[in-house]
Protein backbone atom coordinates (compact mmCIF):
# COMPACT_ATOMS: atom_id res chain seq x y z
CA UNK A 1 0.00 0.00 0.00
CA UNK A 2 1.61 3.32 -1.03
CA UNK A 3 0.83 6.87 0.01
CA UNK A 4 -1.86 7.28 -2.62
CA UNK A 5 -3.72 4.26 -1.38
CA UNK A 6 -3.30 2.34 -4.63
CA UNK A 7 -3.87 -1.32 -3.87
CA UNK A 8 -5.64 -4.39 -4.99
CA UNK A 9 -8.79 -3.13 -3.32
CA UNK A 10 -8.62 0.09 -5.35
CA UNK A 11 -8.28 -1.75 -8.63
CA UNK A 12 -11.31 -3.78 -7.63
CA UNK A 13 -13.16 -0.53 -6.91
CA UNK A 14 -12.56 0.78 -10.42
CA UNK A 15 -14.51 -2.13 -11.78
CA UNK A 16 -17.18 -2.26 -9.13
CA UNK A 17 -19.44 0.57 -8.08
CA UNK A 18 -22.21 -1.49 -6.59
CA UNK A 19 -23.71 -1.20 -3.13
CA UNK A 20 -23.09 -3.29 -0.09
CA UNK A 21 -23.59 -6.56 -1.93
CA UNK A 22 -20.66 -5.99 -4.26
CA UNK A 23 -18.73 -9.14 -3.36
CA UNK A 24 -21.15 -11.47 -5.10
CA UNK A 25 -22.91 -14.68 -4.30
CA UNK A 26 -19.79 -16.80 -4.58
CA UNK A 27 -17.98 -14.80 -1.89
CA UNK A 28 -21.06 -14.87 0.34
CA UNK A 29 -21.13 -18.61 0.10
CA UNK A 30 -17.48 -18.72 1.08
CA UNK A 31 -18.14 -16.40 4.01
CA UNK A 32 -20.57 -18.91 5.46
CA UNK A 33 -18.04 -21.73 5.55
CA UNK A 34 -17.47 -22.92 9.13
CA UNK A 35 -14.66 -20.85 10.57
CA UNK A 36 -14.67 -20.07 14.27
CA UNK A 37 -15.25 -16.41 14.97
CA UNK A 38 -12.66 -16.37 17.70
CA UNK A 39 -9.67 -17.39 15.58
CA UNK A 40 -9.31 -15.02 12.62
CA UNK A 41 -6.76 -15.78 9.96
CA UNK A 42 -5.79 -12.76 7.90
CA UNK A 43 -3.10 -10.95 6.05
CA UNK A 44 -1.75 -7.52 6.94
CA UNK A 45 -1.17 -5.99 3.56
CA UNK A 46 0.44 -2.67 4.38
CA UNK A 47 3.39 -3.53 6.62
CA UNK A 48 7.09 -3.60 5.85
CA UNK A 49 9.23 -6.70 5.81
CA UNK A 50 12.19 -7.71 7.92
CA UNK A 51 11.57 -8.07 11.61
CA UNK A 52 7.87 -7.26 11.20
CA UNK A 53 7.44 -9.99 8.61
CA UNK A 54 9.01 -12.53 10.98
CA UNK A 55 6.70 -11.33 13.69
CA UNK A 56 3.63 -11.72 11.48
CA UNK A 57 4.75 -15.17 10.38
CA UNK A 58 4.99 -16.28 14.01
CA UNK A 59 1.50 -14.93 14.70
CA UNK A 60 0.05 -16.70 11.68
CA UNK A 61 1.59 -19.94 12.89
CA UNK A 62 -0.58 -19.73 16.00
CA UNK A 63 -3.62 -18.43 14.10
CA UNK A 64 -3.51 -14.96 15.71
CA UNK A 65 -4.56 -11.66 14.14
CA UNK A 66 -2.06 -9.42 12.39
CA UNK A 67 -4.50 -7.45 10.20
CA UNK A 68 -4.28 -3.68 10.23
CA UNK A 69 -6.66 -1.13 8.73
CA UNK A 70 -7.38 -3.16 5.59
CA UNK A 71 -10.96 -3.96 4.73
CA UNK A 72 -12.15 -7.46 5.66
CA UNK A 73 -13.61 -8.84 2.44
CA UNK A 74 -16.70 -11.02 2.35
CA UNK A 75 -14.72 -14.18 1.66
CA UNK A 76 -12.61 -13.48 4.76
CA UNK A 77 -15.57 -13.22 7.13
CA UNK A 78 -16.38 -15.98 9.59
CA UNK A 79 -19.33 -18.22 10.16
CA UNK A 80 -22.03 -16.58 12.26
CA UNK A 81 -23.40 -19.44 14.28
CA UNK A 82 -26.06 -18.93 16.92
CA UNK A 83 -23.44 -17.93 19.46
CA UNK A 84 -22.39 -15.04 17.24
CA UNK A 85 -25.22 -12.73 18.25
CA UNK A 86 -24.96 -13.83 21.87
CA UNK A 87 -21.28 -12.88 21.65
CA UNK A 88 -22.23 -9.31 20.69
CA UNK A 89 -24.23 -8.90 23.88
CA UNK A 90 -21.62 -10.62 26.05
CA UNK A 91 -18.83 -8.51 24.56
CA UNK A 92 -20.53 -5.18 25.26
CA UNK A 93 -21.69 -6.32 28.69
CA UNK A 94 -18.18 -7.52 29.58
CA UNK A 95 -16.42 -4.43 28.21
CA UNK A 96 -18.66 -2.05 30.09
CA UNK A 97 -19.30 -3.77 33.44
CA UNK A 98 -16.27 -2.15 35.03
CA UNK A 99 -15.30 -0.02 38.01
CA UNK A 100 -14.80 3.11 35.91
CA UNK A 101 -18.58 3.37 35.58
CA UNK A 102 -18.98 2.94 39.33
CA UNK A 103 -16.64 5.88 39.88
CA UNK A 104 -18.53 7.85 37.22
CA UNK A 105 -21.76 7.27 39.15
CA UNK A 106 -20.14 8.57 42.33
CA UNK A 107 -19.85 12.02 40.76
CA UNK A 108 -23.62 12.55 40.83
CA UNK A 109 -23.94 12.99 44.62
CA UNK A 110 -20.35 14.07 45.38
CA UNK A 111 -19.60 16.60 42.61
CA UNK A 112 -23.02 17.66 41.33
CA UNK A 113 -24.81 17.30 44.71
CA UNK A 114 -27.76 15.38 43.29
CA UNK A 115 -30.03 13.11 45.29
CA UNK A 116 -29.96 9.36 44.67
CA UNK A 117 -33.14 9.56 42.57
CA UNK A 118 -32.07 12.57 40.54
CA UNK A 119 -28.62 11.15 39.87
CA UNK A 120 -30.00 7.73 38.91
CA UNK A 121 -32.51 9.17 36.44
CA UNK A 122 -29.94 11.47 34.85
CA UNK A 123 -27.38 8.68 34.59
CA UNK A 124 -29.71 6.07 33.11
CA UNK A 125 -31.38 8.32 30.54
CA UNK A 126 -28.08 9.99 29.65
CA UNK A 127 -26.34 6.71 28.93
CA UNK A 128 -29.36 5.40 26.95
CA UNK A 129 -29.14 8.38 24.60
CA UNK A 130 -25.38 7.90 24.34
CA UNK A 131 -25.73 4.19 23.51
CA UNK A 132 -27.89 4.82 20.44
CA UNK A 133 -25.03 6.13 18.23
CA UNK A 134 -22.77 3.30 19.41
CA UNK A 135 -25.30 0.68 18.32
CA UNK A 136 -25.78 2.53 15.01
CA UNK A 137 -22.05 2.62 14.20
CA UNK A 138 -21.68 -1.03 15.26
CA UNK A 139 -23.99 -2.07 12.41
CA UNK A 140 -21.44 -0.79 9.88
CA UNK A 141 -18.84 -3.34 10.97
CA UNK A 142 -20.50 -6.33 9.26
CA UNK A 143 -21.85 -4.21 6.36
CA UNK A 144 -18.52 -2.70 5.34
CA UNK A 145 -15.74 -4.77 6.90
CA UNK A 146 -14.15 -1.42 7.82
CA UNK A 147 -13.08 0.13 11.11
CA UNK A 148 -15.00 3.08 12.54
CA UNK A 149 -12.42 5.73 11.71
CA UNK A 150 -11.97 4.41 8.17
CA UNK A 151 -15.73 4.81 7.73
CA UNK A 152 -15.27 8.51 8.52
CA UNK A 153 -13.49 8.89 5.15
CA UNK A 154 -16.80 8.35 3.36
CA UNK A 155 -18.21 11.58 4.80
CA UNK A 156 -15.11 13.64 5.70
CA UNK A 157 -12.81 12.63 2.86
CA UNK A 158 -9.15 11.66 3.04
CA UNK A 159 -7.51 14.54 4.91
CA UNK A 160 -10.24 15.88 7.26
CA UNK A 161 -10.91 12.33 8.47
CA UNK A 162 -7.39 12.24 9.92
CA UNK A 163 -8.42 14.93 12.42
CA UNK A 164 -11.14 12.61 13.67
CA UNK A 165 -8.58 9.81 13.94
CA UNK A 166 -6.36 11.96 16.16
CA UNK A 167 -9.32 12.94 18.36
CA UNK A 168 -10.40 9.32 18.63
CA UNK A 169 -6.91 8.25 19.68
CA UNK A 170 -7.09 10.86 22.45
CA UNK A 171 -10.44 9.42 23.56
CA UNK A 172 -9.19 5.84 23.54
CA UNK A 173 -5.99 6.57 25.42
CA UNK A 174 -7.86 8.83 27.83
CA UNK A 175 -10.25 6.04 28.80
CA UNK A 176 -7.36 3.67 29.28
CA UNK A 177 -5.70 6.26 31.50
CA UNK A 178 -8.81 6.51 33.68
CA UNK A 179 -9.10 2.74 33.97
CA UNK A 180 -5.46 2.36 34.98
CA UNK A 181 -5.76 5.01 37.68
CA UNK A 182 -8.90 3.44 39.15
CA UNK A 183 -7.33 -0.03 39.15
CA UNK A 184 -4.21 1.36 40.80
CA UNK A 185 -6.29 3.11 43.47
CA UNK A 186 -8.19 -0.07 44.30
CA UNK A 187 -5.04 -2.21 44.49
CA UNK A 188 -3.32 0.37 46.68
CA UNK A 189 -6.34 0.61 49.02
CA UNK A 190 -6.46 -3.18 49.41
CA UNK A 191 -2.76 -3.51 50.27
CA UNK A 192 -1.81 -3.26 53.98
CA UNK A 193 -1.43 0.41 54.87
CA UNK A 194 -1.25 1.28 51.19
CA UNK A 195 2.08 -0.52 50.83
CA UNK A 196 1.38 -1.13 47.14
CA UNK A 197 1.60 2.22 45.41
CA UNK A 198 -0.97 3.38 42.88
CA UNK A 199 1.83 3.49 40.32
CA UNK A 200 2.49 -0.24 40.62
CA UNK A 201 -1.21 -0.98 40.24
CA UNK A 202 -1.31 1.18 37.11
CA UNK A 203 1.62 -0.68 35.56
CA UNK A 204 0.18 -4.13 36.39
CA UNK A 205 -3.16 -3.29 34.78
CA UNK A 206 -1.54 -1.79 31.68
CA UNK A 207 0.72 -4.80 31.11
CA UNK A 208 -2.14 -7.33 31.40
CA UNK A 209 -4.28 -5.31 29.00
CA UNK A 210 -1.43 -5.01 26.51
CA UNK A 211 -0.85 -8.77 26.53
CA UNK A 212 -4.49 -9.50 25.67
CA UNK A 213 -4.71 -6.93 22.87
CA UNK A 214 -1.42 -8.10 21.39
CA UNK A 215 -3.04 -11.35 20.28
CA UNK A 216 -5.80 -9.46 18.49
CA UNK A 217 -9.45 -9.76 17.63
CA UNK A 218 -9.94 -13.43 18.49
CA UNK A 219 -8.13 -13.21 21.82
CA UNK A 220 -10.12 -10.30 23.21
CA UNK A 221 -13.41 -11.70 21.91
CA UNK A 222 -12.65 -14.91 23.78
CA UNK A 223 -11.62 -12.96 26.89
CA UNK A 224 -14.76 -10.81 26.92
CA UNK A 225 -16.88 -13.90 26.42
CA UNK A 226 -16.15 -14.93 30.01
CA UNK A 227 -14.77 -11.82 31.77
CA UNK A 228 -18.22 -10.42 32.58
CA UNK A 229 -19.17 -13.26 34.96
CA UNK A 230 -16.75 -12.60 37.86
CA UNK A 231 -17.49 -8.87 37.53
CA UNK A 232 -21.23 -9.46 37.75
CA UNK A 233 -20.74 -11.60 40.86
CA UNK A 234 -18.51 -9.13 42.74
CA UNK A 235 -20.61 -6.12 41.70
CA UNK A 236 -23.66 -7.92 43.08
CA UNK A 237 -21.78 -8.65 46.30
CA UNK A 238 -20.76 -4.99 46.54
CA UNK A 239 -24.34 -3.84 46.02
CA UNK A 240 -25.61 -6.30 48.63
CA UNK A 241 -23.05 -5.36 51.28
CA UNK A 242 -22.93 -1.60 50.72
CA UNK A 243 -26.59 -1.19 49.71
CA UNK A 244 -27.97 -0.80 53.25
CA UNK A 245 -25.67 2.23 53.68
CA UNK A 246 -26.86 4.02 50.54
CA UNK A 247 -28.58 7.31 51.35
CA UNK A 248 -31.76 7.12 49.31
CA UNK A 249 -33.60 10.02 50.97
CA UNK A 250 -31.29 13.00 51.52
CA UNK A 251 -31.06 15.77 48.98
CA UNK A 252 -27.57 17.34 48.85
CA UNK A 253 -28.87 20.19 46.69
CA UNK A 254 -31.12 21.62 49.43
CA UNK A 255 -30.60 25.38 49.59
CA UNK A 256 -29.48 25.65 45.95
CA UNK A 257 -31.45 27.69 43.45
CA UNK A 258 -33.63 25.85 40.95
CA UNK A 259 -31.37 27.04 38.11
CA UNK A 260 -28.34 25.51 39.84
CA UNK A 261 -30.13 22.19 40.36
CA UNK A 262 -31.28 22.10 36.74
CA UNK A 263 -27.75 22.88 35.60
CA UNK A 264 -26.35 20.06 37.74
CA UNK A 265 -28.89 17.61 36.34
CA UNK A 266 -28.09 18.57 32.76
CA UNK A 267 -24.35 18.39 33.43
CA UNK A 268 -24.54 14.90 34.94
CA UNK A 269 -26.92 13.76 32.19
CA UNK A 270 -24.52 14.89 29.46
CA UNK A 271 -21.53 13.44 31.32
CA UNK A 272 -23.12 10.00 31.21
CA UNK A 273 -24.16 10.55 27.60
CA UNK A 274 -20.54 11.34 26.74
CA UNK A 275 -19.29 8.28 28.62
CA UNK A 276 -21.47 6.08 26.40
CA UNK A 277 -21.26 7.85 23.04
CA UNK A 278 -17.45 7.80 22.94
CA UNK A 279 -17.59 4.04 22.34
CA UNK A 280 -18.74 4.94 18.81
CA UNK A 281 -15.19 5.52 17.62
CA UNK A 282 -14.40 1.81 18.00
CA UNK A 283 -17.82 0.20 17.69
CA UNK A 284 -17.52 -1.02 14.10
CA UNK A 285 -14.03 -2.43 14.76
CA UNK A 286 -15.48 -5.22 16.89
CA UNK A 287 -17.62 -6.76 14.16
CA UNK A 288 -15.66 -6.51 10.91
CA UNK A 289 -15.36 -10.31 10.77
CA UNK A 290 -19.12 -10.86 11.00
CA UNK A 291 -20.81 -11.84 7.70
CA UNK A 292 -21.90 -8.95 5.50
CA UNK A 293 -25.52 -10.11 5.57
CA UNK A 294 -25.74 -10.02 9.38
CA UNK A 295 -29.13 -8.44 10.25
CA UNK A 296 -28.48 -4.83 11.18
CA UNK A 297 -31.42 -4.59 13.55
CA UNK A 298 -30.07 -7.52 15.57
CA UNK A 299 -26.59 -6.01 15.86
CA UNK A 300 -28.17 -2.69 16.88
CA UNK A 301 -30.60 -4.19 19.42
CA UNK A 302 -28.14 -6.54 21.09
CA UNK A 303 -25.52 -3.78 21.33
CA UNK A 304 -28.08 -1.56 23.05
CA UNK A 305 -29.05 -4.31 25.48
CA UNK A 306 -25.48 -5.25 26.39
CA UNK A 307 -24.36 -1.66 26.90
CA UNK A 308 -27.42 -0.33 28.71
CA UNK A 309 -27.69 -3.19 31.21
CA UNK A 310 -24.03 -2.97 32.22
CA UNK A 311 -24.07 0.82 32.36
CA UNK A 312 -27.23 0.96 34.49
CA UNK A 313 -25.99 -1.57 37.05
CA UNK A 314 -22.54 -0.02 37.51
CA UNK A 315 -23.75 3.58 37.53
CA UNK A 316 -26.48 2.99 40.14
CA UNK A 317 -24.04 1.16 42.42
CA UNK A 318 -21.66 4.10 42.07
CA UNK A 319 -24.41 6.63 42.78
CA UNK A 320 -25.33 4.66 45.90
CA UNK A 321 -21.75 4.69 47.15
CA UNK A 322 -21.48 8.41 46.44
CA UNK A 323 -24.74 9.12 48.27
CA UNK A 324 -23.34 7.53 51.44
CA UNK A 325 -20.23 9.73 51.56
CA UNK A 326 -22.08 12.63 53.22
CA UNK A 327 -23.57 10.49 56.03
CA UNK A 328 -20.99 7.74 56.59
CA UNK A 329 -17.72 8.88 58.17
CA UNK A 330 -15.74 5.83 57.07
CA UNK A 331 -16.92 6.24 53.49
CA UNK A 332 -16.14 9.95 53.56
CA UNK A 333 -12.58 9.26 54.73
CA UNK A 334 -12.12 6.59 52.07
CA UNK A 335 -13.43 8.93 49.36
CA UNK A 336 -10.95 11.52 50.59
CA UNK A 337 -8.19 9.07 49.72
CA UNK A 338 -9.54 8.08 46.30
CA UNK A 339 -12.65 6.86 44.53
CA UNK A 340 -11.10 3.42 44.30
CA UNK A 341 -10.64 3.39 48.07
CA UNK A 342 -14.38 4.02 48.47
CA UNK A 343 -15.13 0.86 46.50
CA UNK A 344 -12.81 -1.08 48.79
CA UNK A 345 -14.43 0.50 51.86
CA UNK A 346 -17.83 -0.67 50.69
CA UNK A 347 -16.57 -4.27 50.86
CA UNK A 348 -14.74 -4.06 54.21
CA UNK A 349 -17.60 -5.59 56.28
CA UNK A 350 -16.73 -9.03 54.86
CA UNK A 351 -13.04 -8.77 55.75
CA UNK A 352 -10.44 -10.59 53.62
CA UNK A 353 -13.13 -11.77 51.23
CA UNK A 354 -13.95 -8.14 50.57
CA UNK A 355 -10.30 -7.51 49.72
CA UNK A 356 -10.39 -10.44 47.31
CA UNK A 357 -13.51 -9.02 45.65
CA UNK A 358 -11.81 -5.64 45.37
CA UNK A 359 -8.89 -7.19 43.49
CA UNK A 360 -11.34 -8.88 41.11
CA UNK A 361 -12.97 -5.49 40.50
CA UNK A 362 -9.57 -3.90 39.85
CA UNK A 363 -8.53 -6.59 37.37
CA UNK A 364 -11.96 -6.37 35.75
CA UNK A 365 -10.94 -2.97 34.39
CA UNK A 366 -8.78 -4.87 31.92
CA UNK A 367 -12.02 -5.72 30.10
CA UNK A 368 -12.75 -2.03 29.64
CA UNK A 369 -9.22 -1.31 28.42
CA UNK A 370 -8.98 -4.01 25.77
CA UNK A 371 -11.28 -2.29 23.26
CA UNK A 372 -9.62 1.17 23.35
CA UNK A 373 -6.09 -0.26 23.17
CA UNK A 374 -7.00 -2.49 20.23
CA UNK A 375 -8.81 0.32 18.39
CA UNK A 376 -5.99 2.80 19.08
CA UNK A 377 -3.52 0.48 17.36
CA UNK A 378 -5.74 0.48 14.26
CA UNK A 379 -6.27 4.24 14.37
CA UNK A 380 -2.54 5.01 14.43
CA UNK A 381 -2.24 3.08 11.18
CA UNK A 382 -4.98 5.22 9.64
CA UNK A 383 -2.96 8.42 10.03
CA UNK A 384 -0.70 7.79 7.02
CA UNK A 385 0.82 5.06 4.87
CA UNK A 386 4.11 5.04 6.79
CA UNK A 387 2.32 4.40 10.08
CA UNK A 388 0.36 1.63 8.34
CA UNK A 389 3.60 -0.26 7.73
CA UNK A 390 4.06 -0.72 11.46
CA UNK A 391 1.90 -3.65 12.64
CA UNK A 392 -1.04 -3.02 14.95
CA UNK A 393 0.75 -4.74 17.83
CA UNK A 394 3.53 -2.16 17.63
CA UNK A 395 1.05 0.68 17.96
CA UNK A 396 -0.71 -1.17 20.78
CA UNK A 397 2.57 -1.12 22.69
CA UNK A 398 3.08 2.59 21.97
CA UNK A 399 -0.47 3.31 23.14
CA UNK A 400 0.11 1.46 26.41
CA UNK A 401 3.31 3.38 27.10
CA UNK A 402 1.60 6.73 26.44
CA UNK A 403 -1.44 6.23 28.66
CA UNK A 404 0.59 4.53 31.41
CA UNK A 405 2.91 7.52 31.69
CA UNK A 406 -0.05 9.93 31.63
CA UNK A 407 -1.91 7.84 34.24
CA UNK A 408 1.06 7.97 36.58
CA UNK A 409 1.32 11.74 36.15
CA UNK A 410 -2.42 12.39 36.65
CA UNK A 411 -3.25 9.75 39.26
CA UNK A 412 -4.17 12.35 41.91
CA UNK A 413 -6.74 14.17 39.75
CA UNK A 414 -9.21 11.47 38.73
CA UNK A 415 -12.44 13.40 39.36
CA UNK A 416 -11.18 16.45 37.46
CA UNK A 417 -10.12 14.28 34.51
CA UNK A 418 -13.51 12.58 34.50
CA UNK A 419 -15.60 15.75 34.51
CA UNK A 420 -13.46 17.69 32.02
CA UNK A 421 -12.19 14.98 29.67
CA UNK A 422 -15.47 13.12 29.13
CA UNK A 423 -17.49 16.25 28.45
CA UNK A 424 -14.92 17.67 26.02
CA UNK A 425 -14.54 14.41 24.08
CA UNK A 426 -18.29 13.93 23.86
CA UNK A 427 -18.65 17.10 21.76
CA UNK A 428 -16.71 15.97 18.70
CA UNK A 429 -18.20 12.47 18.72
CA UNK A 430 -21.76 13.84 18.66
CA UNK A 431 -20.86 16.16 15.76
CA UNK A 432 -19.28 13.27 13.84
CA UNK A 433 -22.36 11.08 14.42
CA UNK A 434 -24.67 13.86 13.15
CA UNK A 435 -22.63 14.26 9.96
CA UNK A 436 -22.48 10.48 9.46
CA UNK A 437 -26.27 10.26 9.78
CA UNK A 438 -26.66 12.99 7.18
CA UNK A 439 -24.25 11.21 4.84
CA UNK A 440 -26.06 7.91 5.30
CA UNK A 441 -29.69 9.02 5.16
CA UNK A 442 -29.52 11.92 2.72
CA UNK A 443 -26.73 11.18 0.26
CA UNK A 444 -26.27 7.41 0.36
CA UNK A 445 -29.91 6.40 0.79
CA UNK A 446 -32.31 9.19 -0.26
CA UNK A 447 -30.18 10.37 -3.19
CA UNK A 448 -29.35 6.77 -4.11
CA UNK A 449 -25.56 7.09 -4.15
CA UNK A 450 -25.06 3.86 -2.22
CA UNK A 451 -21.80 2.73 -0.62
CA UNK A 452 -18.72 1.61 -2.50
CA UNK A 453 -16.73 0.06 0.33
CA UNK A 454 -13.83 -0.77 -1.99
CA UNK A 455 -13.11 2.96 -2.24
CA UNK A 456 -11.94 3.11 1.38
CA UNK A 457 -8.29 3.76 0.45
CA UNK A 458 -8.59 5.74 -2.80
CA UNK A 459 -8.64 9.52 -2.48
CA UNK A 460 -10.09 9.91 -5.99
CA UNK A 461 -13.16 7.86 -5.11
CA UNK A 462 -13.68 9.41 -1.68
CA UNK A 463 -15.43 12.79 -1.18
CA UNK A 464 -13.30 15.88 -0.78
CA UNK A 465 -14.91 16.47 2.62
CA UNK A 466 -14.96 20.30 2.67
CA UNK A 467 -18.64 20.47 3.62
CA UNK A 468 -18.31 17.94 6.42
CA UNK A 469 -15.17 19.64 7.74
CA UNK A 470 -16.79 23.10 7.80
CA UNK A 471 -19.87 21.66 9.50
CA UNK A 472 -17.59 19.99 12.04
CA UNK A 473 -15.82 23.29 12.81
CA UNK A 474 -19.13 25.16 13.11
CA UNK A 475 -20.36 22.51 15.53
CA UNK A 476 -17.20 22.82 17.60
CA UNK A 477 -17.51 26.61 17.64
CA UNK A 478 -21.07 26.32 18.92
CA UNK A 479 -19.98 23.88 21.62
CA UNK A 480 -17.16 26.14 22.77
CA UNK A 481 -19.42 29.20 22.93
CA UNK A 482 -21.96 27.22 24.96
CA UNK A 483 -19.47 25.82 27.45
CA UNK A 484 -20.00 26.81 31.09
CA UNK A 485 -16.89 28.42 32.50
Amino acid sequence: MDGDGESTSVRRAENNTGGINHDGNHQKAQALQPVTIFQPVDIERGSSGGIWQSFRTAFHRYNLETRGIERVLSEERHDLKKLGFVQIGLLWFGVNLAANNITLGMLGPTIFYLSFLDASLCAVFGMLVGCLPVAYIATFGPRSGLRSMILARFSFGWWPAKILVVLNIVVLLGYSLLDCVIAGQIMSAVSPNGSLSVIVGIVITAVISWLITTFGYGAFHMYERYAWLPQLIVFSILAGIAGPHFDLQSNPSVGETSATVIGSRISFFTLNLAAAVTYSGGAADLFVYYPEESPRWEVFTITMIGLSLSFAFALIVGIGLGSGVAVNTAWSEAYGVSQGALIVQGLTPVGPFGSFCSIIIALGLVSNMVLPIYAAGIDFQALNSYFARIPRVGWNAVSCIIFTVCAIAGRAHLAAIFTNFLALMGYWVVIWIAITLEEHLIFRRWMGMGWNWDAWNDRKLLPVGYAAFVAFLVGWAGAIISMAQ
Side-chain angles (χ1 to χ4, degrees), residues 302-359:
I302 298 174
T303 296
M304 280 294 298
I305 292 172
L307 274 178
S308 58
L309 288 179
S310 53
F311 257 126
F313 187 18
L315 288 171
I316 290 175
V317 170
I319 291 168
L321 289 171
S323 70
V325 168
V327 295
N328 188 314
T329 303
W331 285 18
S332 178
E333 293 175 353
Y335 186 77
V337 175
S338 69
Q339 291 170 288
L342 178 56
I343 295 175
V344 176
Q345 183 62 39
L347 290 163
T348 52
V350 290
F353 179 69
S355 298
F356 171 77
C357 290
S358 298
I359 293 297

Side-chain angles (χ1 to χ4, degrees), residues 219-397:
F220 80 70
H221 265 269
M222 180 64 77
Y223 177 79
E224 300 292 356
R225 183 178 175 184
Y226 303 104
W228 62 273
L229 183 57
Q231 292 302 296
L232 179 61
I233 294 172
V234 295
F235 276 35
S236 299
I237 293 172
L238 174 61
I241 295 171
H245 303 285
F246 292 175
D247 185 0
L248 307 181
Q249 305 299 327
S250 297
N251 185 2
S253 61
V254 170
E256 300 286 352
T257 64
S258 60
T260 300
V261 174
I262 292 172
S264 296
R265 289 170 177 167
I266 294 174
S267 296
F268 192 53
F269 174 93
T270 54
L271 192 63
N272 285 276
L273 187 157
V277 78
T278 44
Y279 277 121
S280 301
D285 299 39
L286 301 178
F287 308 113
V288 292
Y289 288 99
Y290 276 64
E292 190 172 330
E293 60 273 13
S294 300
R296 278 171 271 169
W297 70 270
E298 290 191 33
V299 175
F300 180 93
T301 302
I302 298 174
T303 296
M304 280 294 298
I305 292 172
L307 274 178
S308 58
L309 288 179
S310 53
F311 257 126
F313 187 18
L315 288 171
I316 290 175
V317 170
I319 291 168
L321 289 171
S323 70
V325 168
V327 295
N328 188 314
T329 303
W331 285 18
S332 178
E333 293 175 353
Y335 186 77
V337 175
S338 69
Q339 291 170 288
L342 178 56
I343 295 175
V344 176
Q345 183 62 39
L347 290 163
T348 52
V350 290
F353 179 69
S355 298
F356 171 77
C357 290
S358 298
I359 293 297
I360 297 298
I361 291 174
L363 295 177
L365 283 157
V366 171
S367 298
N368 196 256
M369 295 173 63
V370 166
L371 168 58
I373 297 172
Y374 176 83
I378 298 294
D379 286 354
F380 272 111
Q381 290 186 322
L383 288 174
N384 62 54
S385 59
Y386 297 103
F387 282 18
R389 294 171 185 166
I390 300 175
R392 172 191 56 79
V393 293
W395 290 118
N396 288 155

Side-chain angles (χ1 to χ4, degrees), residues 99-100 103 173-189 197-206 337-341 343 362 365 369 403-418:
N100 63 318
T103 57
L173 299 188
Y175 268 109
S176 300
L177 180 159
L178 290 170
D179 289 340
C180 273
V181 172
I182 296 167
Q185 289 178 348
I186 294 173
M187 292 182 185
S188 178
S197 71
V198 174
I199 295 176
V200 175
I202 289 172
V203 173
I204 291 172
T205 310
V337 175
S338 69
Q339 291 170 288
I343 295 175
L365 283 157
M369 295 173 63
F403 72 69
T404 301
V405 172
C406 293
I408 291 172
R411 64 191 184 277
H413 308 285
L414 182 62
I417 295 173
F418 246 130

